[in-house]
Amino acid sequence: MDGAETPTTPSPACRGGLGRGWVLALASLALIVLPLSVHADKIRDLAQVGGVRSNQLIGYGLVVGLDGSGDQTTQAPFTTQSLENMLVQFGITVPANVRPQLKNAAAVTITAQLPPFAKPGQTIDVTVASIGNAKSIRGGELLMTPLRGADGNVYAMAQGSVVVGGVSAQGKSGSSVQVNISASGRVPNGASVERSVASSFASSNGDLMLNLNTPDFTTATRIAEAVNRTYGAGTANAVDGGSVAVRGPADASQRVAWLGAIQALDVNPGDAPARVVVNSRTGTVVIGSEVRVTPAAVAHGSIQVTISEQPQVSQPAPFSKGQTVVVPSSNVQVSEDGGHMFKFGPGTNLDTIVRAVNQVGASPSDLISILQALKQAGALHAELVVI
């Protein structure tokens, strides 16, 4: 009919197109929002709970069953003394005028980490290391040894077969080959916990304290904001740059679940400090991403000094009554090769520094010298740490 109004309801095709448009818009929004949480870390990776810590254990014992690679008792008499004391406990008395010459035993120290909340009956790994002159403890058996804490109490008992990753061999002529270290090893699950350590976490009725692994005011503030945003204002409070106080329930079981939920929250940590770490012994250089360099020109080259000695024979003229002597002749040459100069512009970042140094072919030791010179000139805006 002429003049009739056309329906305003969109056709199925139009509705489908509109739906696809919303999908594309949501996908674009997801691509925009997603990078914001890529660098987020869990609170459990950024901070530790106050009062929850491991404890160091140490003990002294004997490793037996070695194939002639144990301690030389003439130079390590404490090994013989330890063995004699052990035999006395089994009712065996060694005559006073007898000094056993042991080859298959070695005196060792045993160290272990007692994890938090460890209970009696659980097992932990131990590390065994020779303290005498044993060549190898491969294939040895660690005898039962008590492991003590800093307070002198026994918290675990260690015993088991020692696993060694190193290999050593020696011939009759004195030639020897060694790969890694064979005088130390580990005993997996080699210690049984005998006593638990009292933790302040179970007995604490106040706030829970989160101690940051790397103190940073920005990270501490963001952790408190994340907790307050999820569980309400006033739940968390940033005490300082290294601690965040969190209110928790009085019941211990509820506090465990409460803390587990808090540790699962995502937080964007603060930027790492601008720092350059240099290991002068190994030549290792680590440059942080926030390191910046102000405008500076650097020239670096290698100077080579060559000194060669070529003795010459001086022969006197006939009938001169002279003597034939050897005259030293020294040749000294100084050459400077590989000299380059490169310029750092304002706000130079890590990529530019590494690219410029690689282009001139500088070695790690050269890079250390360049960085130290830039720091002295005031052009390197970073903390230079030499280890």
Side-chain angles (χ1 to χ4, degrees), residues 10-27:
S11 63
C14 294
R15 291 196 299 268
L18 181 62
R20 287 192 296 270
W22 278 105
V23 172
L24 292 176
L26 292 175

Side-chain angles (χ1 to χ4, degrees), residues 152-370:
N153 295 324
V154 176
Y155 287 91
M157 299 295 293
Q159 182 172 279
S161 300
V162 181
V163 179
V164 177
V167 177
S168 61
Q170 183 176 1
K172 295 182 179 180
S173 62
S175 302
S176 61
V177 176
Q178 180 171 344
V179 179
N180 296 330
I181 302 298
S182 58
S184 63
R186 291 179 64 84
V187 183
N189 298 325
S192 177
V193 179
E194 301 295 334
R195 176 185 298 184
S196 60
V197 179
S199 174
S200 60
F201 175 80
S203 59
S204 176
N205 295 325
D207 295 344
L208 297 175
M209 193 66 65
L210 300 179
N211 299 323
L212 274 65
N213 298 329
T214 302
D216 182 77
F217 290 100
T218 302
T219 304
T221 302
R222 291 179 180 177
I223 290 177
E225 292 176 350
V227 176
N228 292 331
R229 185 169 53 252
T230 305
Y231 298 101
T235 305
N237 178 33
V239 179
D240 50 34
S243 301
V244 177
V246 181
R247 292 184 179 179
D251 185 67
S253 59
Q254 295 179 0
R255 190 160 57 248
V256 172
W258 171 257
L259 184 59
I262 290 178
Q263 287 185 327
L265 296 178
D266 291 330
V267 174
N268 292 320
D271 296 333
R275 184 174 298 165
V276 178
V277 181
V278 175
N279 191 329
S280 58
R281 297 183 298 274
T282 61
T284 303
V285 180
V286 178
I287 305 176
S289 60
E290 298 298 325
V291 175
R292 294 293 182 270
V293 177
T294 54
V298 179
H300 184 78
S302 58
I303 299 178
Q304 297 180 357
V305 180
T306 304
I307 302 177
S308 59
E309 297 287 346
Q310 297 179 353
Q312 297 180 356
V313 178
S314 176
Q315 186 70 26
F319 306 104
S320 63
K321 298 182 179 180
Q323 296 181 353
T324 301
V325 296
V326 178
V327 180
S329 177
S330 302
N331 184 17
V332 181
Q333 296 180 354
V334 179
S335 62
E336 186 173 2
D337 299 329
H340 300 276
M341 175 174 285
F342 47 90
K343 180 181 179 181
F344 292 137
T348 302
N349 56 9
L350 171 63
D351 295 336
T352 306
I353 298 175
V354 175
R355 190 181 306 111
V357 173
N358 287 337
Q359 287 178 354
V360 301
S363 63
S365 59
D366 298 331
L367 178 58
I368 294 174
S369 301
I370 293 173

Side-chain angles (χ1 to χ4, degrees), residues 53 55-58 114 147-156 195-198:
R53 47 158 293 181
N55 291 273
Q56 292 76 26
L57 303 179
I58 190 172
L114 184 64
L147 301 181
R148 303 178 183 272
D151 55 359
N153 295 324
V154 176
Y155 287 91
R195 176 185 298 184
S196 60
V197 179

Side-chain angles (χ1 to χ4, degrees), residues 30-63:
L31 292 176
I32 295 175
V33 176
L34 182 60
L36 297 179
S37 60
V38 169
H39 300 289
D41 295 332
K42 300 291 185 182
I43 292 182
R44 66 168 59 94
D45 299 327
L46 299 175
Q48 297 180 352
V49 182
V52 179
R53 47 158 293 181
S54 60
N55 291 273
Q56 292 76 26
L57 303 179
I58 190 172
Y60 170 82
L62 289 173
V63 171

Side-chain angles (χ1 to χ4, degrees), residues 130-142:
S130 171
I131 60 176
N133 52 11
K135 299 177 182 178
S136 175
I137 60 174
R138 172 181 292 274
E141 181 76 12
L142 174 65

